[in-house]
Amino acid sequence: MQNKGLVKLFAILFGLVSIYQLSFTFKANSIDDQAAAYANGDEVKERKYLDSLDNEEVYNLGVASYNYSEVKENAMNLGLDLKGGVSVILQISVKDILKGLANYSKDPVFNQALENAAEVQKNSQNTFVEDFFLEFDKIKGDTKLASPDIFYTRALDGEIEGSMTDSEVKPIIERKIDESIVSAFEVLRKRIDEFGVTSPSIQRLGNTGRILVELPGVKDKERALKLLQSTAQLEFWEVSKRDLFGQFLFDANNLLKELEAPKTEEVAETESQDSEDTAIEDLLGADPDSTSTEINPLRDLLFQSQNPATIAMVNLRDREKVLGYLNMPQVRSLLPGEQRFTKFAFGKPAKDSEVVELYALDGNRDNVPQLSGAVVTDARQEYDPMGKPTVSMVMNSKGAKIWEEMTGKAFTEGSNIAIVLDNVVYSAPGVSTGAISGGNSSISGNFTLNEATDLANVLRAGKLPASADIIQGEVVGPSLGQEAIESGQNSFLIALALVLVWMFLYYGKAGLFADIAMIFNIVLIFGVLSGLGAVLTLPGIAGIVLTIGMSVDANVLIFERIREEIAKGKGLKESINDGFSNALSSILDANITTGLTALILFIFGTGPIKGFATTLLIGIATSLFTAIFITRLFVDWYANKNGNLDFSTAITKNLFRNININFLKKRKVAYIISTVAILVSLGSLFTNGLDQGVDFVGGRTYQVRFAEPVSANEISETLADAFGSAEAKTFGNANQLKITTKYKVNETDNAIDEEIRNTLYTELQPYMPGLTYDEFISDDQGKTVGLMKYYKVSPTIADDIKKSSIWAIFGSLVVVFLYILIRFKRWQFSLGAVAAVFHDVLILLGVFSLTYKYMPFSMEIDQAFIAAILTVIGYSLNDTVVVFDRIREFFNEHTSWPFNKVINVSLSSTLSRTLNTSLTTLVVLLSIFIFGGDSIRGFMFALIVGVIVGTYSSLFIATPLMYDAVKKGDAANALKEKEKVEEAEIA
């Protein structure tokens, strides 16, 4: 090997850099362990300890020193499945942005086009604005986008003119929407930065209006989700006095009694008779001594409030019902003229309270507040004289002027000003010291410290330009993450040990050199991951372990070629040179085809699947370097020093030697077997179907752990009554279930998530005696019972995931077809390879379809399964390309051989490598399958089936099909002169 000195230098530098990068991870883990020991379970104490080290030197390398923040920044990032945390995809509402750009136009054509676009979006791959334009064009008639009632507004004046055509307006609107989404991205980024999460990730997904946010290790997950979705729509409203609404509420109650008269008898049977005792008779003007048992639809839901700024108190569970009553057109028509635009809103419920205050705010025709939060230029969390958290804020000059007028009016009239955040009244203070000038004021509202901090953060970062709905979300508890780390480590160490022992037993000292190169390869992989700031996930660990199995292939190819050269009678050094040289083409072709499928997986995948593809791509690159160069350094060194190096042991010396199998003669039997297998697979796919996960159909999945084993069927029946439809499956041990429901699947609000979790807890409570709701949903480290993981996908993004997965599979097939066509210059080679891959994928799908009802682990078809399919494609092609490369070599080397002999000899000569690599990979996969944890067991099973089927297809499908295509195609004429003996005579 030439340039050995350069290779040694590069290897040393590469190794040192990798160790340097990994040292930060070890140091960070050491400090975190010290903090945990110091805090002894107190999270606040632990956080304060770590915060105190942010700017303190904690790591000194002599040439450079680092504080804790810098150490954490350089340490390897762990994904949600290893560390716990939150991952969500937020959909910024383009519909809301369009409404805002049109100044909330009431134009019927505009609003109908919006509704039509929202409906079309459920099955569309277009962006919302594209579908809006299409729907608008269908119904617009003479209406123009540049109409004064739509986009020719004061806000867009100067950008849109009334004379513009629709085609001129559309790109402007698209640009404004893009600007709004960029603004939303920046607002979210600032909020996350303020939240103080280590190694957060936020990225915009194309031009869809979707933003991916990952917060690994976040402690308070509910707080994080609220922070992400809060629009921070801060508003200041004047509060109407209570005494203006007594007669209105009385009249509204009587009207509702008339409207609901047919329901009175039914309601009387179900409503509690105790409601009369707490009704607000004095407010409504009724006789307080009345003993009537008459049902009053509105009055029975209202309670007297001690706060003069409110008009009543309402039970939390009745909020929507009361608001629905008060906003009915028939009811609102009862409001006096000066109150006809009143806005009704509820206050912020006190902790552990079951009631909430109802406010009446001075509204107007446009439902616009007297002052909005847009005037706030700065906000800070502070404390009031009583030591309670508040939020101080500073307004711009325009806001300060309006605020002075509002506070002056409230002082004069003795009224209140409501401070409203996202339609919730946080407080409604009176003004006792006269008009407030200067624009400086504070917001109080019985805040917790976290609530005040978050409110200040979102006000300072700015409000979202539109609502943000969680259309895909995953919440993983820290206990589950710790278990994943332990199972990942176990599978990694066991797989590594098995491979190291196998290589030594099979190739002797040469295998030991390959083992050293493999360990160096692992150091490089982790070093590169750490240096790139990549996130390590459980599928990522699986990718590394799989890389170990597949990296053996390069060494096996090299060693098998060296053994062949030695068998020809060549000297050791010449055999080593020729072995490395002859194996290089096969190694490159095999790894490039696998790399191409991994690259497509990286492009189309998200989250953990992207992590799997990342580690696989890095592993392929480092494996090539270590196998070709590092192993070569050791082999050359030992050969030059001792002059004797066997590439086998006493057991394996003659293993797979002198094999001469007529594979082509058996191809018809193989065709029959494969045809039957494919027909059975297709039959099962059309009858049994597949167990599609929420990734592809939408829904919510909850991983729940119980103290004792439970019956999945019994839980399914219990939950079906509550959710309409629900499915529970045993997940791993008998005391753990994966529960899936499509209940309210189209509703993405946090309140719906909370409602479903509450219902889930209520229904499962008999199986969890003594467990409170807070304990059920808690994020406590070491938690062993309760909700361990939560995952949801809306139908819209589920459809997108399914289609992108299909494109990923077909894209990989097209790319590989073209690569093989370019590399081998015959379409028959590409046909054989792609046909074999189709064969493997269909049989893999068939196995899952036939067995998913009976296997004791999850076999859902999700993004991880798509990753498995693409990995199987890469592995199958890896095998096939090695055989094709040997066929090409023998075809050019033995020009007198008939083509069928070239095929058979090529398959026989590579059989040792094929079986060796397949068995090694299977050993690795089985170790992950057994020890790697429940969450990736189905993924590993798919890979195990794929390796078995892929090995079979490379021997009995890909090559024979290529041979038949060559014989029947135009290329047969070029081969006729070479075939001296007919196939039957050879047989």
Side-chain angles (χ1 to χ4, degrees):
M1 181 176 68
Q2 297 179 345
N3 300 318
K4 287 184 181 180
L6 186 61
V7 172
K8 290 179 182 177
L9 177 63
F10 186 74
I12 292 171
L13 292 175
F14 203 177
L16 288 174
V17 170
S18 296
I19 293 171
Y20 163 77
Q21 288 291 346
L22 288 174
S23 69
F24 289 102
T25 301
F26 290 117
K27 187 64 181 178
N29 290 340
S30 173
I31 296 172
D32 290 344
D33 290 342
Q34 291 172 15
Y38 168 77
N40 194 26
D42 187 333
E43 290 185 6
V44 175
K45 192 175 180 182
E46 181 179 345
R47 186 69 257 165
K48 287 182 177 179
Y49 177 87
L50 293 174
D51 287 344
S52 69
L53 299 177
D54 271 351
N55 298 310
E56 295 289 329
E57 180 185 306
V58 295
Y59 190 34
N60 194 320
L61 292 174
V63 294
S65 60
Y66 303 90
N67 58 38
Y68 177 69
S69 295
E70 292 168 334
V71 168
K72 289 295 287 185
E73 187 177 339
N74 285 287
M76 184 175 294
N77 301 321
L78 297 181
L80 264 64
D81 50 3
L82 295 178
K83 196 174 183 179
V86 173
S87 172
V88 296
I89 294 180
L90 295 164
Q91 176 72 66
I92 304 301
S93 175
V94 177
K95 181 180 180 181
D96 286 354
I97 297 173
L98 285 168
K99 285 182 176 180
L101 290 173
N103 199 23
Y104 300 94
S105 170
K106 294 180 174 58
D107 183 90
V109 175
F110 171 76
N111 285 290
Q112 186 61 53
L114 284 177
E115 295 306 317
N116 293 349
E119 188 63 31
V120 169
Q121 272 283 291
K122 294 177 181 178
N123 298 300
S124 173
Q125 294 302 298
N126 294 333
T127 63
F128 186 93
V129 70
E130 289 171 340
D131 281 331
F132 165 73
F133 288 148
L134 290 172
E135 295 304 314
F136 182 84
D137 288 341
K138 289 178 184 177
I139 62 173
K140 66 179 182 181
D142 296 330
T143 307
K144 294 171 54 182
L145 290 173
S147 163
D149 292 331
I150 305 182
F151 291 126
Y152 183 34
T153 63
R154 182 180 299 175
L156 292 174
D157 188 27
E159 296 187 76
I160 293 178
E161 302 294 338
S163 59
M164 284 183 171
T165 63
D166 285 355
S167 59
E168 292 173 322
V169 172
K170 287 177 181 179
I172 298 173
I173 298 303
E174 287 174 340
R175 175 171 55 80
K176 299 298 289 186
I177 288 173
D178 187 67
E179 289 174 359
S180 295
I181 294 171
V182 169
S183 173
F185 179 88
E186 289 301 316
V187 168
L188 288 170
R189 184 180 59 77
K190 290 176 183 177
R191 289 185 187 180
I192 291 169
D193 290 343
E194 296 278 2
F195 196 66
V197 178
T198 304
S199 306
S201 172
I202 177 169
Q203 56 180 299
R204 186 178 170 188
L205 303 178
N207 61 349
T208 59
R210 293 172 183 165
I211 297 173
L212 171 65
V213 179
E214 294 180 329
L215 305 174
V218 63
K219 300 291 184 183
D220 191 339
K221 298 176 179 60
E222 289 301 311
R223 177 186 170 200
L225 292 173
K226 289 177 182 176
L227 182 73
L228 290 173
Q229 285 193 282
S230 171
T231 58
Q233 187 72 38
L234 181 65
E235 300 172 339
F236 302 91
W237 295 79
E238 294 176 357
V239 180
S240 298
K241 293 185 177 181
R242 176 195 292 179
D243 55 14
L244 298 175
F245 294 89
Q247 187 62 44
F248 161 71
L249 292 175
F250 183 83
D251 294 342
N253 182 71
N254 288 335
L255 175 62
L256 289 167
K257 281 165 58 177
E258 295 177 12
L259 294 174
E260 298 195 354
K263 302 178 184 178
T264 301
E265 183 177 345
E266 177 186 344
V267 173
E269 294 175 358
T270 58
E271 286 287 321
S272 169
Q273 296 301 315
D274 296 334
S275 62
E276 288 296 324
D277 298 335
T278 54
I280 51 170
E281 289 89 350
D282 56 332
L283 174 63
L284 301 178
D287 180 3
D289 297 324
S290 173
T291 58
S292 171
T293 58
E294 184 180 18
I295 300 301
N296 297 283
L298 181 59
R299 194 174 99 179
D300 290 346
L301 302 178
L302 303 179
F303 305 87
Q304 187 171 15
S305 172
Q306 300 301 316
N307 183 353
T310 65
I311 60 174
M313 301 288 288
V314 177
N315 273 322
L316 284 172
R317 64 177 182 271
D318 295 327
R319 280 182 298 185
E320 292 185 15
K321 191 172 184 180
V322 169
L323 210 57
Y325 281 152
L326 295 177
N327 287 328
M328 288 175 61
Q330 305 97 308
V331 172
R332 292 194 68 88
S333 66
L334 299 174
L335 285 165
E338 60 273 18
Q339 275 93 46
R340 65 182 182 277
F341 297 120
T342 296
K343 176 184 176 73
F344 294 103
F346 288 104
K348 177 177 173 289
K351 186 178 182 182
D352 300 326
S353 174
E354 295 183 358
V355 294
V356 63
E357 295 173 324
L358 174 65
Y359 290 84
L361 310 179
D362 281 352
N364 49 61
R365 184 184 300 275
D366 297 322
N367 197 31
V368 176
Q370 287 86 352
L371 187 64
S372 76
V375 301
V376 177
T377 58
D378 193 17
R380 291 283 182 272
Q381 182 273 310
E382 293 181 351
Y383 295 93
D384 65 12
M386 302 297 294
K388 294 182 178 180
T390 62
V391 177
S392 67
M393 56 186 179
V394 180
M395 299 180 183
N396 59 25
S397 57
K398 178 182 177 182
K401 182 178 180 181
I402 299 174
W403 183 242
E404 185 174 359
E405 293 173 357
M406 288 181 67
T407 53
K409 180 180 178 183
F411 173 74
T412 302
E413 298 179 357
S415 59
N416 300 70
I417 296 176
I419 299 171
V420 183
L421 181 69
D422 292 337
N423 293 318
V424 174
V425 179
Y426 268 64
S427 64
V431 181
S432 57
T433 58
I436 300 174
S437 59
N440 295 322
S441 55
S442 64
I443 306 173
S444 60
N446 198 24
F447 294 114
T448 65
L449 179 59
N450 281 343
E451 287 173 338
T453 302
D454 290 347
L455 176 56
N457 287 344
V458 295
L459 291 178
R460 192 161 56 250
K463 73 180 184 71
L464 288 174
S467 62
D469 295 324
I470 296 177
I471 57 173
Q472 181 178 344
E474 183 175 18
V475 176
V476 182
S479 298
L480 212 58
Q482 186 59 40
E483 292 173 12
I485 291 176
E486 292 172 1
S487 63
Q489 287 175 342
N490 291 337
S491 66
F492 176 79
L493 294 174
I494 292 169
L496 180 60
L498 290 171
V499 172
L500 294 176
V501 171
W502 175 267
M503 289 297 289
F504 178 69
L505 291 177
Y506 199 95
Y507 292 108
K509 292 176 183 177
L512 184 60
F513 297 146
D515 288 344
I516 296 172
M518 193 184 307
I519 293 172
F520 183 59
N521 179 31
I522 293 168
V523 173
L524 296 184
I525 292 173
F526 281 106
V528 172
L529 282 171
S530 183
L532 292 177
V535 177
L536 183 65
T537 62
L538 193 57
I541 292 177
I544 293 173
V545 179
L546 183 60
T547 299
I548 293 171
M550 297 180 70
S551 69
V552 172
D553 182 51
N555 285 307
V556 169
L557 279 168
I558 292 168
F559 292 168
E560 290 298 318
R561 292 308 295 258
I562 293 174
R563 291 174 67 180
E564 288 179 17
E565 300 305 322
I566 292 174
K568 293 177 182 178
K570 294 181 180 180
L572 180 60
K573 292 184 180 180
E574 185 181 1
S575 296
I576 291 171
N577 284 328
D578 291 346
F580 273 91
S581 177
N582 293 335
L584 185 61
S585 175
S586 296
I587 292 171
L588 290 176
D589 284 334
N591 280 277
I592 288 173
T593 49
T594 306
L596 287 172
T597 56
L599 182 62
I600 290 170
L601 189 60
F602 178 83
I603 293 170
F604 285 92
T606 57
I609 304 309
K610 191 181 285 288
F612 173 79
T614 302
T615 54
L616 196 57
L617 285 167
I618 294 171
I620 289 170
T622 56
S623 296
L624 284 172
F625 172 72
T626 54
I628 296 171
F629 296 107
I630 304 303
T631 304
R632 180 70 182 273
L633 285 176
F634 284 109
V635 168
D636 283 350
W637 167 77
Y638 194 85
N640 290 329
K641 180 181 178 182
N642 296 292
N644 184 27
L645 181 64
D646 294 327
F647 287 83
S648 60
T649 61
I651 300 173
T652 61
K653 187 171 184 178
N654 296 313
L655 200 61
F656 298 115
R657 297 290 102 191
N658 303 316
I659 295 176
N660 187 17
I661 301 174
N662 193 335
F663 287 92
L664 291 180
K665 185 178 180 180
K666 307 177 190 306
R667 73 184 188 278
K668 292 182 180 178
V669 175
Y671 288 167
I672 293 172
I673 293 172
S674 293
T675 300
V676 171
I678 289 173
L679 289 175
V680 170
S681 296
L682 290 173
S684 180
L685 287 170
F686 282 114
T687 54
N688 290 337
L690 292 164
D691 184 19
Q692 295 190 66
V694 295
D695 276 351
F696 290 162
V697 296
R700 292 174 173 86
T701 293
Y702 303 87
Q703 188 173 325
V704 181
R705 189 174 291 172
F706 302 81
E708 301 292 336
V710 292
S711 168
N713 290 334
E714 185 180 334
I715 297 293
S716 293
E717 292 173 4
T718 300
L719 295 176
D721 295 335
F723 295 125
S725 67
E727 183 180 28
K729 302 175 187 173
T730 301
F731 189 71
N733 297 327
N735 68 326
Q736 186 166 258
L737 297 179
K738 178 181 276 190
I739 299 168
T740 303
T741 177
K742 297 187 75 174
Y743 178 70
K744 294 189 177 181
V745 65
N746 288 307
E747 299 184 43
T748 57
D749 190 78
N750 268 348
I752 301 299
D753 293 335
E754 180 67 18
E755 174 196 331
I756 296 174
R757 278 198 301 272
N758 263 299
T759 305
L760 186 66
Y761 167 74
T762 302
E763 299 298 325
L764 296 180
Q765 217 278 325
Y767 303 92
M768 299 177 173
L771 191 73
T772 67
Y773 178 71
D774 288 340
E775 290 171 336
F776 177 72
I777 65 170
S778 74
D779 296 325
D780 295 341
Q781 189 78 38
K783 175 181 174 182
T784 57
V785 177
L787 182 61
M788 309 299 289
K789 182 178 179 179
Y790 158 61
Y791 183 55
K792 81 170 179 181
V793 180
S794 75
T796 301
I797 198 168
D799 185 60
D800 292 348
I801 291 172
K802 184 186 294 186
K803 289 178 180 176
S804 65
S805 299
I806 293 171
W807 279 113
I809 293 173
F810 280 101
S812 66
L813 293 176
V814 171
V815 168
V816 169
F817 181 92
L818 293 174
Y819 176 79
I820 294 177
L821 180 63
I822 294 169
R823 192 73 178 87
F824 293 94
K825 297 182 174 60
R826 292 186 186 278
W827 63 266
Q828 291 90 345
F829 283 91
S830 295
L831 176 67
V834 173
V837 167
F838 265 112
H839 164 277
D840 299 343
V841 171
L842 283 175
I843 292 179
L844 177 58
L845 289 170
V847 169
F848 266 64
S849 176
L850 287 165
T851 61
Y852 76 84
K853 295 179 181 177
Y854 313 106
M855 287 294 185
F857 50 86
S858 175
M859 296 180 70
E860 287 185 351
I861 306 301
D862 52 17
Q863 291 187 82
F865 181 77
I866 299 303
I869 286 182
L870 287 169
T871 306
V872 167
I873 289 173
Y875 185 87
S876 177
L877 289 167
N878 184 308
D879 251 1
T880 302
V881 166
V882 169
V883 175
F884 284 178
D885 198 76
R886 186 60 66 92
I887 291 171
R888 180 177 56 185
E889 179 186 333
F890 281 0
F891 184 80
N892 294 324
E893 187 176 316
H894 303 284
T895 55
S896 62
W897 287 6
F899 193 47
N900 57 348
K901 182 179 179 180
V902 171
I903 298 290
N904 284 323
V905 174
S906 298
L907 287 167
S908 296
S909 64
T910 56
L911 187 62
S912 173
R913 172 264 161 199
T914 300
L915 295 179
N916 204 338
T917 300
S918 297
L919 288 173
T920 307
T921 306
L922 279 174
V923 166
V924 170
L925 294 176
L926 283 169
S927 72
I928 309 174
F929 178 77
I930 296 169
F931 303 104
D934 300 322
S935 61
I936 59 170
R937 198 152 281 151
F939 176 66
M940 285 297 110
F941 181 75
L943 292 181
I944 289 169
V945 173
V947 167
I948 295 171
V949 176
T951 302
Y952 161 81
S953 69
S954 65
L955 294 173
F956 295 102
I957 302 298
T959 307
L961 278 176
M962 180 273 292
Y963 171 76
D964 286 335
V966 168
K967 281 195 67 178
K968 294 177 182 179
D970 294 334
N973 296 326
L975 296 168
K976 277 185 178 180
E977 294 182 5
K978 299 177 62 181
E979 289 199 84
K980 305 295 184 183
V981 183
E982 294 294 332
E983 181 179 358
E985 295 175 348
I986 293 296

